Amino acid sequence: MKNLIQFLIFNIIIISFFSAFLSSCTFDNEEDFLEDYICDSIDIVYTDLTYIFSVCATCHSEAFTYRPGIEMDNYESVKSSINTGLVLPAIKHTGPYKMPNGLPKLPDCDIKKIEVWINAGMPEN
Ligand code: HEC
């Protein structure tokens, strides 16, 4: 009986750990340590982030941008946009403009990935 209870408790711990682990990029309310673990432990390159930047590019591309100097549709333009120093405050909602404009704030994990990538020197691949 005691063994059965231990077995059940062990399984509950394992299952909850893995479900938290698997969902950490889809839910905002995850524990920070899991988020840090997921986001810091992978080598992030430009192509890992294009699913985020393509949302920005609908309003900030070389063909058309609401803000000169902010273009998010290719590696070089994303890099120089970030180097203006305006992108991080915009996506973290700490600056005067909150991006993506009129849309929900990016998930914490996406913001974290961008920061990790910037700190790594914005590698292309
Ligand atoms: C629906 C259109 C739209 C989307 C999507 C969008 N932006 Fe913007 N963005 C704007 C507009 C409009 C402005 C303000 C332009 C102005 O008034 O000068 C702006 C301004 C900015 C600025 C200038 C902020 C400042 O402090 O001067 C940055 C940086 C920026 N956007 C980055 C982004 C990033 C990064 C994304 C993607 C996460 C994004 N935008 C998505 C429309 C958009």
Side-chain angles (χ1 to χ4, degrees), residues 63-116:
F64 171 78
T65 180
Y66 280 105
R67 173 58 69 91
I70 304 296
E71 294 160 357
M72 304 291 293
D73 55 341
N74 63 61
Y75 175 66
E76 289 302 331
S77 63
V78 165
K79 237 171 64 165
S80 67
S81 301
I82 286 174
N83 284 335
T84 64
L86 296 173
V87 169
L88 272 186
I91 61 175
K92 291 169 98 172
H93 292 188
T94 56
Y97 292 91
K98 308 204 183 328
M99 294 294 133
N101 199 31
L103 294 168
K105 194 177 180 222
L106 294 176
D108 288 347
C109 196
D110 285 353
I111 295 173
K112 177 92 187 161
K113 280 188 201 169
I114 293 172
E115 283 188 299
V116 167

Side-chain angles (χ1 to χ4, degrees), residues 31-45:
E31 298 287 342
D32 281 348
F33 79 90
L34 274 175
E35 189 177 294
D36 287 350
Y37 177 75
I38 304 274
C39 295
D40 288 345
S41 60
I42 40 179
D43 291 327
I44 299 168
V45 296

